[in-house]
Amino acid sequence: MSTYKLASLTSLAAGILMAGSAFAADPITIKFAHVVAENTPKGQMAEKFKELVEKSSVGDQVDVEVYPNSQLYGDDQVLEAMLLGDVQLAAPSLSKFQKYTNQLQVFDLPFLFKDMDAVERFQNSETGEQLLTSMQDKGLIGLGYQHNGLKQLSASEPLRVPEDAAGKKFRIQTSDVLQAQFEAVDAAPLKKPFSEVFILLQTGAIDGQENTYSNIYSQKFYEVQPYITESNHGVIDYMVVTSDRFWNGLPDDVRPVLEQAMHEALDYGNSIAAQENQEAKQAIVDSGKSEIIELTPEQRQQWVDAMKPVWKQFADEIGQDVIDAAQAANEG
């Protein structure tokens, strides 16, 4: 063999080895997509996860990219994108999983939880833990729950009793339970993406919406909604999900580290959720742009009586045992 050919083969072999080494060193990219602002509990949780991974023992092996404010996908598209491998982590509202399981609709039932402590107890219960794996047969795995808080009603006119909502158009998430909830008070629910809510309110295309104080403030809904009724009628929480294929395909030394980082990030996000809502409420009050209506016990009971039949309507789909477990969490 000529010296030239030998040198060429040596160079080729070295190139292959270098390419293989570079390939092995490529970091695992995790795209974490969500729809809310960075300063919300979910936004801060996502950033905390990124920070914890960067500081961890696998920081040089994993690259976390966070995309807030629907920069990549809205909640209605992100799960399909995840199953295609375009996104690795997302934290959709629990209302968004109806296509994959009926059981998570329990979180949409109106006036089911008396406070966020009850929500936490249910999520930490055996039933709550089981719900994290309720979509595994569809290719999705839940890694944990992120709190946002209890929902309030905002509108262009005051809402004090159920009759005040009759005929008005309310934006809702993609949830049959939420549709039934508003139909129970003769309102017109419209399923629209979160990213479109502000402009819909601003233009008068819809009359109101339901959300937590932190979302109402961070998305500036209060600037175009003169009234907010403090109803605490439901909960907006999220489930951090990933694809079964991606998660179980991670190296054995990487997955436990990411799992621990997510656990710590969720603890962090949940610890600030209540504070964020209180601060957002006060900021709305201070702005003077929206009046917060506090219901009397009698008024609130009218809303409960009007909406509670929705529980029975969806008991077979959700499972009465799941609803019972959620109710039991109210007892402490």
Side-chain angles (χ1 to χ4, degrees):
M1 183 180 292
S2 70
T3 302
Y4 173 77
K5 287 184 177 180
L6 182 60
S8 296
L9 288 172
T10 302
S11 297
L12 179 62
I16 292 172
L17 286 172
M18 288 177 66
S21 176
F23 179 77
D26 283 347
I28 299 165
T29 299
I30 296 179
K31 294 181 180 179
F32 192 161
H34 65 83
V35 301
V36 296
E38 295 98 322
N39 61 341
T40 59
K42 179 163 63 173
Q44 293 184 65
M45 174 274 292
E47 291 297 335
K48 175 61 71 171
F49 175 72
K50 174 180 172 68
E51 174 190 326
L52 290 169
V53 172
E54 287 174 348
K55 294 179 179 178
S56 74
S57 60
V58 300
D60 59 342
Q61 300 177 57
V62 180
D63 182 21
V64 178
E65 301 174 356
V66 179
Y67 297 90
N69 288 314
S70 305
Q71 288 176 6
L72 283 186
Y73 298 98
D75 273 352
D76 294 326
Q77 302 87 29
V78 74
L79 296 176
E80 292 181 11
M82 178 174 289
L83 292 173
L84 292 172
D86 294 335
V87 174
Q88 288 69 46
L89 285 176
S93 167
L94 292 163
S95 300
K96 299 295 185 179
F97 293 104
Q98 182 179 320
K99 181 178 177 181
Y100 301 91
T101 176
N102 286 324
Q103 290 183 306
L104 289 173
Q105 293 182 108
V106 67
F107 290 101
D108 286 340
L109 294 177
F111 297 104
L112 177 59
F113 298 103
K114 69 178 184 179
D115 52 33
M116 287 305 297
D117 287 341
V119 175
E120 173 110 0
R121 284 191 293 270
F122 176 61
Q123 291 173 349
N124 289 334
S125 70
E126 182 179 350
T127 302
E129 291 288 332
Q130 289 172 351
L131 291 179
L132 292 172
T133 58
S134 61
M135 300 175 287
Q136 194 159 1
D137 62 334
K138 303 291 197 307
L140 298 172
I141 298 176
L143 301 179
Y145 298 98
Q146 167 67 53
H147 295 327
N148 188 328
L150 295 177
K151 291 187 289 188
Q152 321 304 335
L153 290 167
S154 75
S156 54
E157 296 180 14
L159 301 176
R160 292 187 172 87
V161 293
E163 289 76 15
D164 293 335
K168 291 183 172 59
K169 299 187 289 288
F170 289 86
R171 178 267 176 179
I172 61 168
Q173 299 180 74
T174 307
S175 163
D176 291 344
V177 174
L178 298 182
Q179 178 175 330
Q181 166 190 283
F182 278 103
E183 289 174 346
V185 294
D186 297 322
L190 300 173
K191 297 176 181 179
K192 296 291 184 180
F194 185 69
S195 58
E196 297 178 11
V197 178
F198 180 86
I199 192 67
L200 291 170
L201 294 171
Q202 186 181 46
T203 59
I206 57 176
D207 301 298
Q209 57 87 51
E210 56 172 8
N211 239 303
T212 62
Y213 279 120
S214 65
N215 280 353
I216 292 171
Y217 181 68
S218 67
Q219 299 296 318
K220 302 185 186 302
F221 298 159
Y222 71 98
E223 294 187 356
V224 289
Q225 291 275 265
Y227 300 99
I228 299 171
T229 299
E230 189 166 272
S231 53
N232 292 321
H233 65 281
V235 62
I236 293 186
D237 270 12
Y238 313 103
M239 182 185 288
V240 177
V241 290
T242 186
S243 76
D244 178 78
R245 181 178 181 181
F246 168 75
W247 193 249
N248 289 318
L250 289 169
D252 291 339
D253 63 327
V254 171
R255 192 184 313 107
V257 179
L258 297 184
E259 201 165 38
Q260 179 61 29
M262 180 56 68
H263 178 75
E264 292 181 25
L266 287 170
D267 282 349
Y268 173 77
N270 288 339
S271 71
I272 61 176
Q275 179 183 345
E276 289 279 322
N277 276 301
Q278 282 301 114
E279 291 177 354
K281 177 183 176 180
Q282 189 58 51
I284 292 169
V285 171
D286 293 343
S287 76
K289 294 182 177 179
S290 188
E291 176 188 346
I292 293 180
I293 299 170
E294 295 186 4
L295 299 175
T296 67
E298 293 76 19
Q299 288 171 334
R300 190 172 191 275
Q301 190 59 48
Q302 289 184 51
W303 289 94
V304 173
D305 293 342
M307 290 182 169
K308 194 170 179 179
V310 173
W311 295 18
K312 185 175 181 180
Q313 185 178 340
F314 287 88
D316 289 342
E317 285 186 31
I318 296 169
Q320 188 61 51
D321 57 328
V322 177
I323 297 174
D324 291 344
Q327 279 190 280
N330 287 319
E331 304 306 318

